[in-house]
Amino acid sequence: MRFQLLGPLALADGPDTVVLQPSKPANLLAALLLNANSTVSAGYLQRAVWGEEQPATAKAALQTCVLRLRRLFAKHGVTGTAIEAVPGGYRIVAGPPTLDLLAYRDQVRRATAMDRDPEAELYTLRDALSLWQGALLANVRSAVLHRDEVPRLAEERLRVVERVCDLLLGLGRCGEALVDLWTATRVYPGHERFHEQLIEALYRSGRQSQALAEYRRVKDFLREELGVDPSPSLRRLELSILRGEELGPVGQAALAAPAPGQAAPVVSASAEAVGSGSASGAVVGSGSASGAVVSRVVRGETVPQPDAETPGSEPAPAPASGPDPAPGPNSATIPTPVTAPALTSAPAPVATPAPAPVTVPPGAATGAPSAAGDCAPPADAGIGPVPGVPHFTGRAAEAEAMAARLTAPPPTGPADHRALAVVVSGAPGIGKSALAQHVARQVGDAFPAGRLLVRMTRADGEPRTAGEVFAALADALGATGEGRALLILDDVVDADQVRPLLTPGGPPGTGPGLAVVVTSRMGLGGLIATHGGWVQRLTAFTEAESYGLLLAALGAERVEAEPEAAHRLTAVCGHFPAALRILTARLLTRPGLLLADAVDWLGDDPLARLTLTDSPGHSVTGLFDRALDRLDPRLSQAFTHLAQGPPELLADGGPEHEGPVPEAVREQLADAGLLEDGPPGPYRIHGLLRAHVRRTARIRDRRTEKV
């Protein structure tokens, strides 16, 4: 059981959360938790519960509130946390595992020690910010706590948000910083440091006019609303932009982590420190009432880098964006193209980073606006070069068969110019996109006109129309060389979306012998029936393939030191590629964690823990939710019924008391990748998917608790 203070006051037990109703005992619990492990005087508790004007019976009523809280703890099985009566008042005992506020402060303290590794510090701070779940104490009706405690907590979070944005700027990831800073400056219009960071990020991204416009906007706000001029550091930054000067590296000062017990320095473009420490000695920060500013989903845009191809995925809607860590080999990897997409016949060499503790990208180091630098905002037409797939393992037979099919001579005859199609289908998260991209990179020499990955769904999940994609392809392919081209039409929702692209001749500019790989959760049998082609249906990994992924991602030394635990981890993940990739990403950020300990930790609640805390969009539950949202409501209801019921529901006969689910329904669900196998063999639901449906049903039935 865990107490949640960083949002509405609540009790959480795994995926189940009980939000407390506003009441006097809720006020008391919040006051105790805000001062956990310290004695809180009875007088202060009475003011927190009843305000400055207390009833004559406040002392006795306080004891009644304590009794009601102890009964609540017993009802919900709270252990390890108790309210103790001590001389002069009360004390509640809690630790980071049982109180999110303490876990947050512990994470921030650990981040301050990472003075040699800004990437690790950034990850740790984002991990801490992900614990914030909304408006602070929204269900606690205590004027004293909202006057005395909430502003202090808000300030704690605010400084961490500042620090995260400084780290992003110092690492040259201006696009990511912009996503966070657009929100932060609008939520806190009078917070000059956020405006300074936003202006700096715009300038480093080559957007000088927007940077100056933002300066004028904040200058007008400060004068009209507060009657003051911008700070000296903001004025110096404006002058540097007007002169076109280099801002100098953010890295050395802004990225220098403080010693434990000190606040993180917040450094402006002129290296003026404006940060300070909290009473507790932790790096502190604040956020908006609606949730984490920095931990919003930035689902990986591809940002062009000199002599490198950088994989990414769907962008979040924002004025600008930057690169995110590339998804793993078995997640859908969708790039955002450069401003003028160009096909390349071979992957460009990847630059090797220098071994310095802090690497400052060229655009960040010089401050010179450059549209081609690391901070350049990419265009978003849904088309881009095929990215590489890190740590790709398994699928050897499938990859070999696809490569042979794609490199075969183009067919001749009546359909001389019809595109050669290969359909890769399977469940969401099974690794369709990763396999298609991996094979496309392998067969690059056979396609001198180049290879393109075409995203067939937008960032909001809506499908692109065939006409829209046709026009975009005509623009992208117009300037390519002669010869065969290869297209990957990724995440196709139905056959009608791609049929116009597979007509004889194909899109303009493709030339004869165009090859197309279609990835889809649907079987697309109708497309194969009308246009021909070859189908590669993917299922979960074998045990050997799962173990191989752990070896590739975590390294042989770590995995072979605990082979039994490694096999148990793959079993807990159900040999499901997306789950394994998320698991390895989490383990890579905790190099000291034993695999045996990870088995116990993951096994307690695999669905809740198979997520990346700094990028909640990368999660098994999110993946399944998006897949179920695409279903027709009647099919979704039928699948929920099947997943919650006994396995006999999937059989032809069905349970005696209920009868079978119609085979047509089961076939549609199998075609959508949600059921495995099928006639003539039995249907099955993957264990993680079945557990997700049942977990979702429990959360849907969650009720509020009145103390």
Side-chain angles (χ1 to χ4, degrees), residues 166-174 200-201 203-206 244-253 255 269 358-370 373-375:
D166 268 329
L167 287 166
L168 289 170
L169 290 174
L171 291 167
R173 291 156 65 173
C174 302
E200 182 177 346
Y203 183 55
R204 289 185 184 278
S205 300
E245 296 175 346
E246 296 181 359
L247 299 183
V250 180
Q252 311 326 339
L255 295 187
V358 177
T359 303
V360 182
T366 64
S370 171
D374 285 347
C375 295

mmCIF file of all heavy atoms in Angstrom, residues 166-174 200-201 203-206 244-253 255 269 358-370 373-375:
data_model
loop_
_atom_site.group_PDB
_atom_site.id
_atom_site.type_symbol
_atom_site.label_atom_id
_atom_site.label_comp_id
_atom_site.label_asym_id
_atom_site.label_seq_id
_atom_site.Cartn_x
_atom_site.Cartn_y
_atom_site.Cartn_z
ATOM 1 N N ASP A 166 17.495 22.922 -18.352
ATOM 2 C CA ASP A 166 18.912 23.258 -18.509
ATOM 3 C C ASP A 166 19.707 22.066 -19.026
ATOM 4 O O ASP A 166 20.586 22.204 -19.881
ATOM 5 C CB ASP A 166 19.491 23.729 -17.172
ATOM 6 C CG ASP A 166 19.400 25.237 -16.996
ATOM 7 O OD1 ASP A 166 19.470 25.952 -18.008
ATOM 8 O OD2 ASP A 166 19.266 25.697 -15.862
ATOM 9 N N LEU A 167 19.408 20.886 -18.502
ATOM 10 C CA LEU A 167 20.112 19.687 -18.965
ATOM 11 C C LEU A 167 19.822 19.426 -20.436
ATOM 12 O O LEU A 167 20.729 19.086 -21.210
ATOM 13 C CB LEU A 167 19.699 18.481 -18.114
ATOM 14 C CG LEU A 167 20.263 18.452 -16.687
ATOM 15 C CD1 LEU A 167 19.530 17.413 -15.856
ATOM 16 C CD2 LEU A 167 21.751 18.146 -16.695
ATOM 17 N N LEU A 168 18.569 19.579 -20.841
ATOM 18 C CA LEU A 168 18.218 19.367 -22.249
ATOM 19 C C LEU A 168 18.943 20.363 -23.147
ATOM 20 O O LEU A 168 19.460 20.000 -24.212
ATOM 21 C CB LEU A 168 16.707 19.491 -22.438
ATOM 22 C CG LEU A 168 15.857 18.352 -21.863
ATOM 23 C CD1 LEU A 168 14.381 18.720 -21.914
ATOM 24 C CD2 LEU A 168 16.098 17.060 -22.626
ATOM 25 N N LEU A 169 19.010 21.620 -22.737
ATOM 26 C CA LEU A 169 19.725 22.620 -23.530
ATOM 27 C C LEU A 169 21.207 22.296 -23.589
ATOM 28 O O LEU A 169 21.843 22.403 -24.642
ATOM 29 C CB LEU A 169 19.500 24.014 -22.940
ATOM 30 C CG LEU A 169 18.092 24.603 -23.079
ATOM 31 C CD1 LEU A 169 17.992 25.913 -22.324
ATOM 32 C CD2 LEU A 169 17.745 24.815 -24.537
ATOM 33 N N GLY A 170 21.774 21.899 -22.465
ATOM 34 C CA GLY A 170 23.191 21.579 -22.436
ATOM 35 C C GLY A 170 23.549 20.378 -23.274
ATOM 36 O O GLY A 170 24.659 20.280 -23.801
ATOM 37 N N LEU A 171 22.604 19.447 -23.414
ATOM 38 C CA LEU A 171 22.840 18.255 -24.230
ATOM 39 C C LEU A 171 22.472 18.478 -25.695
ATOM 40 O O LEU A 171 22.546 17.545 -26.499
ATOM 41 C CB LEU A 171 22.021 17.080 -23.669
ATOM 42 C CG LEU A 171 22.489 16.560 -22.306
ATOM 43 C CD1 LEU A 171 21.445 15.633 -21.705
ATOM 44 C CD2 LEU A 171 23.825 15.838 -22.435
ATOM 45 N N GLY A 172 22.065 19.703 -26.026
ATOM 46 C CA GLY A 172 21.723 19.992 -27.414
ATOM 47 C C GLY A 172 20.361 19.514 -27.846
ATOM 48 O O GLY A 172 20.042 19.537 -29.027
ATOM 49 N N ARG A 173 19.519 19.089 -26.907
ATOM 50 C CA ARG A 173 18.202 18.551 -27.239
ATOM 51 C C ARG A 173 17.156 19.663 -27.110
ATOM 52 O O ARG A 173 16.246 19.632 -26.295
ATOM 53 C CB ARG A 173 17.895 17.353 -26.347
ATOM 54 C CG ARG A 173 18.795 16.171 -26.677
ATOM 55 C CD ARG A 173 18.970 15.193 -25.547
ATOM 56 N NE ARG A 173 17.744 14.514 -25.173
ATOM 57 C CZ ARG A 173 17.679 13.515 -24.300
ATOM 58 N NH1 ARG A 173 18.797 13.080 -23.729
ATOM 59 N NH2 ARG A 173 16.539 12.950 -23.992
ATOM 60 N N CYS A 174 17.351 20.683 -27.949
ATOM 61 C CA CYS A 174 16.520 21.885 -27.838
ATOM 62 C C CYS A 174 15.063 21.605 -28.167
ATOM 63 O O CYS A 174 14.162 22.234 -27.614
ATOM 64 C CB CYS A 174 17.059 22.972 -28.759
ATOM 65 S SG CYS A 174 18.776 23.413 -28.435
ATOM 66 N N GLU A 200 16.277 31.030 -25.355
ATOM 67 C CA GLU A 200 17.566 30.429 -25.702
ATOM 68 C C GLU A 200 17.380 29.198 -26.590
ATOM 69 O O GLU A 200 18.110 29.005 -27.576
ATOM 70 C CB GLU A 200 18.322 30.049 -24.424
ATOM 71 C CG GLU A 200 19.693 29.465 -24.676
ATOM 72 C CD GLU A 200 20.443 29.179 -23.383
ATOM 73 O OE1 GLU A 200 20.018 29.680 -22.324
ATOM 74 O OE2 GLU A 200 21.447 28.459 -23.455
ATOM 75 N N ALA A 201 16.397 28.349 -26.264
ATOM 76 C CA ALA A 201 16.156 27.153 -27.066
ATOM 77 C C ALA A 201 15.730 27.525 -28.486
ATOM 78 O O ALA A 201 16.161 26.894 -29.464
ATOM 79 C CB ALA A 201 15.091 26.284 -26.400
ATOM 80 N N TYR A 203 16.507 30.285 -30.129
ATOM 81 C CA TYR A 203 17.667 30.843 -30.831
ATOM 82 C C TYR A 203 18.637 29.742 -31.256
ATOM 83 O O TYR A 203 19.146 29.737 -32.375
ATOM 84 C CB TYR A 203 18.363 31.855 -29.918
ATOM 85 C CG TYR A 203 19.540 32.548 -30.574
ATOM 86 C CD1 TYR A 203 19.399 33.224 -31.787
ATOM 87 C CD2 TYR A 203 20.793 32.537 -29.977
ATOM 88 C CE1 TYR A 203 20.471 33.874 -32.378
ATOM 89 C CE2 TYR A 203 21.873 33.178 -30.561
ATOM 90 C CZ TYR A 203 21.706 33.845 -31.765
ATOM 91 O OH TYR A 203 22.775 34.473 -32.354
ATOM 92 N N ARG A 204 18.872 28.802 -30.372
ATOM 93 C CA ARG A 204 19.784 27.706 -30.708
ATOM 94 C C ARG A 204 19.179 26.803 -31.794
ATOM 95 O O ARG A 204 19.914 26.060 -32.451
ATOM 96 C CB ARG A 204 20.102 26.881 -29.463
ATOM 97 C CG ARG A 204 20.988 27.601 -28.453
ATOM 98 C CD ARG A 204 21.353 26.683 -27.301
ATOM 99 N NE ARG A 204 22.120 27.359 -26.273
ATOM 100 C CZ ARG A 204 23.436 27.576 -26.312
ATOM 101 N NH1 ARG A 204 24.118 27.157 -27.349
ATOM 102 N NH2 ARG A 204 24.052 28.190 -25.326
ATOM 103 N N SER A 205 17.875 26.839 -31.973
ATOM 104 C CA SER A 205 17.219 26.041 -33.011
ATOM 105 C C SER A 205 17.171 26.764 -34.349
ATOM 106 O O SER A 205 16.576 26.267 -35.298
ATOM 107 C CB SER A 205 15.788 25.688 -32.585
ATOM 108 O OG SER A 205 15.780 24.959 -31.401
ATOM 109 N N GLY A 206 17.791 27.947 -34.419
ATOM 110 C CA GLY A 206 17.771 28.686 -35.675
ATOM 111 C C GLY A 206 16.528 29.506 -35.880
ATOM 112 O O GLY A 206 16.215 29.898 -37.011
ATOM 113 N N GLY A 244 23.468 38.586 -33.123
ATOM 114 C CA GLY A 244 23.824 37.320 -33.747
ATOM 115 C C GLY A 244 25.030 36.658 -33.108
ATOM 116 O O GLY A 244 25.768 35.917 -33.768
ATOM 117 N N GLU A 245 25.227 36.905 -31.824
ATOM 118 C CA GLU A 245 26.408 36.378 -31.136
ATOM 119 C C GLU A 245 26.224 34.912 -30.762
ATOM 120 O O GLU A 245 25.106 34.408 -30.649
ATOM 121 C CB GLU A 245 26.675 37.197 -29.867
ATOM 122 C CG GLU A 245 27.025 38.642 -30.133
ATOM 123 C CD GLU A 245 27.162 39.436 -28.846
ATOM 124 O OE1 GLU A 245 26.732 38.927 -27.780
ATOM 125 O OE2 GLU A 245 27.682 40.558 -28.907
ATOM 126 N N GLU A 246 27.370 34.270 -30.537
ATOM 127 C CA GLU A 246 27.343 32.917 -30.010
ATOM 128 C C GLU A 246 27.020 32.982 -28.520
ATOM 129 O O GLU A 246 27.584 33.798 -27.788
ATOM 130 C CB GLU A 246 28.697 32.233 -30.217
ATOM 131 C CG GLU A 246 29.062 32.052 -31.682
ATOM 132 C CD GLU A 246 30.394 31.349 -31.849
ATOM 133 O OE1 GLU A 246 31.028 31.028 -30.820
ATOM 134 O OE2 GLU A 246 30.798 31.121 -33.003
ATOM 135 N N LEU A 247 26.140 32.078 -28.076
ATOM 136 C CA LEU A 247 25.769 32.073 -26.664
ATOM 137 C C LEU A 247 26.780 31.323 -25.812
ATOM 138 O O LEU A 247 26.765 31.435 -24.600
ATOM 139 C CB LEU A 247 24.380 31.435 -26.477
ATOM 140 C CG LEU A 247 23.219 32.143 -27.177
ATOM 141 C CD1 LEU A 247 21.912 31.450 -26.840
ATOM 142 C CD2 LEU A 247 23.162 33.608 -26.786
ATOM 143 N N GLY A 248 27.621 30.525 -26.465
ATOM 144 C CA GLY A 248 28.558 29.718 -25.696
ATOM 145 C C GLY A 248 27.894 28.449 -25.220
ATOM 146 O O GLY A 248 26.673 28.304 -25.230
ATOM 147 N N PRO A 249 28.683 27.478 -24.812
ATOM 148 C CA PRO A 249 28.113 26.186 -24.393
ATOM 149 C C PRO A 249 27.306 26.315 -23.125
ATOM 150 O O PRO A 249 27.684 27.023 -22.197
ATOM 151 C CB PRO A 249 29.343 25.296 -24.185
ATOM 152 C CG PRO A 249 30.455 26.255 -23.906
ATOM 153 C CD PRO A 249 30.157 27.499 -24.688
ATOM 154 N N VAL A 250 26.179 25.641 -23.094
ATOM 155 C CA VAL A 250 25.390 25.554 -21.863
ATOM 156 C C VAL A 250 26.060 24.588 -20.900
ATOM 157 O O VAL A 250 25.978 24.717 -19.701
ATOM 158 C CB VAL A 250 23.955 25.072 -22.173
ATOM 159 C CG1 VAL A 250 23.128 24.985 -20.903
ATOM 160 C CG2 VAL A 250 23.300 26.009 -23.161
ATOM 161 N N GLY A 251 26.781 23.590 -21.473
ATOM 162 C CA GLY A 251 27.192 22.412 -20.721
ATOM 163 C C GLY A 251 27.950 22.629 -19.450
ATOM 164 O O GLY A 251 27.576 22.146 -18.396
ATOM 165 N N GLN A 252 29.096 23.370 -19.478
ATOM 166 C CA GLN A 252 29.998 23.304 -18.336
ATOM 167 C C GLN A 252 29.363 23.820 -17.054
ATOM 168 O O GLN A 252 29.544 23.254 -15.990
ATOM 169 C CB GLN A 252 31.277 24.095 -18.626
ATOM 170 C CG GLN A 252 31.971 23.823 -19.967
ATOM 171 C CD GLN A 252 31.868 22.408 -20.468
ATOM 172 O OE1 GLN A 252 31.626 21.505 -19.711
ATOM 173 N NE2 GLN A 252 32.028 22.204 -21.758
ATOM 174 N N ALA A 253 28.603 24.912 -17.121
ATOM 175 C CA ALA A 253 28.006 25.438 -15.899
ATOM 176 C C ALA A 253 26.659 24.815 -15.623
ATOM 177 O O ALA A 253 26.375 24.353 -14.533
ATOM 178 C CB ALA A 253 27.874 26.958 -16.011
ATOM 179 N N LEU A 255 25.387 22.069 -16.680
ATOM 180 C CA LEU A 255 25.364 20.633 -16.492
ATOM 181 C C LEU A 255 26.186 20.191 -15.303
ATOM 182 O O LEU A 255 26.243 19.012 -15.001
ATOM 183 C CB LEU A 255 25.879 19.925 -17.754
ATOM 184 C CG LEU A 255 25.016 20.108 -19.001
ATOM 185 C CD1 LEU A 255 25.534 19.224 -20.106
ATOM 186 C CD2 LEU A 255 23.574 19.801 -18.720
ATOM 187 N N ALA A 269 21.863 32.115 -20.020
ATOM 188 C CA ALA A 269 22.812 32.179 -21.127
ATOM 189 C C ALA A 269 24.056 32.950 -20.740
ATOM 190 O O ALA A 269 25.125 32.754 -21.295
ATOM 191 C CB ALA A 269 22.153 32.827 -22.338
ATOM 192 N N VAL A 358 30.869 15.505 -20.891
ATOM 193 C CA VAL A 358 29.726 16.259 -21.389
ATOM 194 C C VAL A 358 29.952 16.542 -22.860
ATOM 195 O O VAL A 358 30.933 17.172 -23.223
ATOM 196 C CB VAL A 358 29.546 17.583 -20.617
ATOM 197 C CG1 VAL A 358 28.388 18.376 -21.198
ATOM 198 C CG2 VAL A 358 29.343 17.317 -19.143
ATOM 199 N N THR A 359 29.092 16.044 -23.703
ATOM 200 C CA THR A 359 29.202 16.275 -25.138
ATOM 201 C C THR A 359 28.219 17.358 -25.526
ATOM 202 O O THR A 359 27.028 17.190 -25.368
ATOM 203 C CB THR A 359 28.897 14.984 -25.911
ATOM 204 O OG1 THR A 359 29.794 13.964 -25.465
ATOM 205 C CG2 THR A 359 29.060 15.209 -27.406
ATOM 206 N N VAL A 360 28.709 18.460 -26.033
ATOM 207 C CA VAL A 360 27.852 19.569 -26.427
ATOM 208 C C VAL A 360 27.725 19.569 -27.937
ATOM 209 O O VAL A 360 28.724 19.688 -28.642
ATOM 210 C CB VAL A 360 28.433 20.909 -25.941
ATOM 211 C CG1 VAL A 360 27.515 22.050 -26.321
ATOM 212 C CG2 VAL A 360 28.655 20.866 -24.437
ATOM 213 N N PRO A 361 26.541 19.363 -28.487
ATOM 214 C CA PRO A 361 26.369 19.334 -29.934
ATOM 215 C C PRO A 361 26.775 20.648 -30.566
ATOM 216 O O PRO A 361 26.803 21.688 -29.913
ATOM 217 C CB PRO A 361 24.872 19.075 -30.114
ATOM 218 C CG PRO A 361 24.431 18.507 -28.815
ATOM 219 C CD PRO A 361 25.315 19.124 -27.777
ATOM 220 N N PRO A 362 27.082 20.635 -31.855
ATOM 221 C CA PRO A 362 27.582 21.843 -32.500
ATOM 222 C C PRO A 362 26.670 23.036 -32.348
ATOM 223 O O PRO A 362 27.115 24.117 -32.043
ATOM 224 C CB PRO A 362 27.712 21.418 -33.979
ATOM 225 C CG PRO A 362 27.858 19.936 -33.937
ATOM 226 C CD PRO A 362 27.092 19.476 -32.747
ATOM 227 N N GLY A 363 25.367 22.846 -32.567
ATOM 228 C CA GLY A 363 24.470 23.981 -32.452
ATOM 229 C C GLY A 363 24.437 24.558 -31.073
ATOM 230 O O GLY A 363 24.348 25.752 -30.875
ATOM 231 N N ALA A 364 24.531 23.700 -30.051
ATOM 232 C CA ALA A 364 24.501 24.200 -28.683
ATOM 233 C C ALA A 364 25.801 24.850 -28.313
ATOM 234 O O ALA A 364 25.855 25.812 -27.558
ATOM 235 C CB ALA A 364 24.180 23.060 -27.728
ATOM 236 N N ALA A 365 26.908 24.334 -28.797
ATOM 237 C CA ALA A 365 28.208 24.850 -28.401
ATOM 238 C C ALA A 365 28.445 26.243 -28.952
ATOM 239 O O ALA A 365 29.035 27.094 -28.311
ATOM 240 C CB ALA A 365 29.304 23.900 -28.864
ATOM 241 N N THR A 366 28.001 26.504 -30.149
ATOM 242 C CA THR A 366 28.284 27.786 -30.776
ATOM 243 C C THR A 366 27.183 28.796 -30.576
ATOM 244 O O THR A 366 27.417 29.992 -30.599
ATOM 245 C CB THR A 366 28.491 27.588 -32.284
ATOM 246 O OG1 THR A 366 27.270 27.118 -32.845
ATOM 247 C CG2 THR A 366 29.587 26.583 -32.563
ATOM 248 N N GLY A 367 25.962 28.302 -30.396
ATOM 249 C CA GLY A 367 24.834 29.208 -30.295
ATOM 250 C C GLY A 367 24.410 29.770 -31.635
ATOM 251 O O GLY A 367 23.478 30.534 -31.733
ATOM 252 N N ALA A 368 25.089 29.409 -32.687
ATOM 253 C CA ALA A 368 24.751 29.939 -34.000
ATOM 254 C C ALA A 368 23.498 29.288 -34.526
ATOM 255 O O ALA A 368 23.385 28.086 -34.546
ATOM 256 C CB ALA A 368 25.908 29.707 -34.957
ATOM 257 N N PRO A 369 22.524 30.059 -34.980
ATOM 258 C CA PRO A 369 21.327 29.452 -35.544
ATOM 259 C C PRO A 369 21.685 28.631 -36.770
ATOM 260 O O PRO A 369 22.343 29.110 -37.681
ATOM 261 C CB PRO A 369 20.460 30.668 -35.915
ATOM 262 C CG PRO A 369 21.006 31.797 -35.107
ATOM 263 C CD PRO A 369 22.457 31.514 -34.957
ATOM 264 N N SER A 370 21.224 27.403 -36.800
ATOM 265 C CA SER A 370 21.524 26.517 -37.929
ATOM 266 C C SER A 370 20.361 25.588 -38.151
ATOM 267 O O SER A 370 19.987 24.825 -37.275
ATOM 268 C CB SER A 370 22.790 25.700 -37.659
ATOM 269 O OG SER A 370 22.956 24.714 -38.651
ATOM 270 N N GLY A 373 21.332 21.824 -37.674
ATOM 271 C CA GLY A 373 21.967 21.350 -36.458
ATOM 272 C C GLY A 373 21.084 20.406 -35.688
ATOM 273 O O GLY A 373 19.977 20.084 -36.068
ATOM 274 N N ASP A 374 21.587 19.952 -34.519
ATOM 275 C CA ASP A 374 20.847 19.000 -33.712
ATOM 276 C C ASP A 374 19.520 19.566 -33.244
ATOM 277 O O ASP A 374 18.598 18.819 -32.963
ATOM 278 C CB ASP A 374 21.675 18.599 -32.478
ATOM 279 C CG ASP A 374 22.786 17.643 -32.847
ATOM 280 O OD1 ASP A 374 22.741 17.134 -33.972
ATOM 281 O OD2 ASP A 374 23.670 17.432 -32.016
ATOM 282 N N CYS A 375 19.420 20.867 -33.109
ATOM 283 C CA CYS A 375 18.203 21.463 -32.575
ATOM 284 C C CYS A 375 17.256 21.930 -33.670
ATOM 285 O O CYS A 375 16.286 22.593 -33.400
ATOM 286 C CB CYS A 375 18.550 22.641 -31.654
ATOM 287 S SG CYS A 375 19.456 22.156 -30.176
#
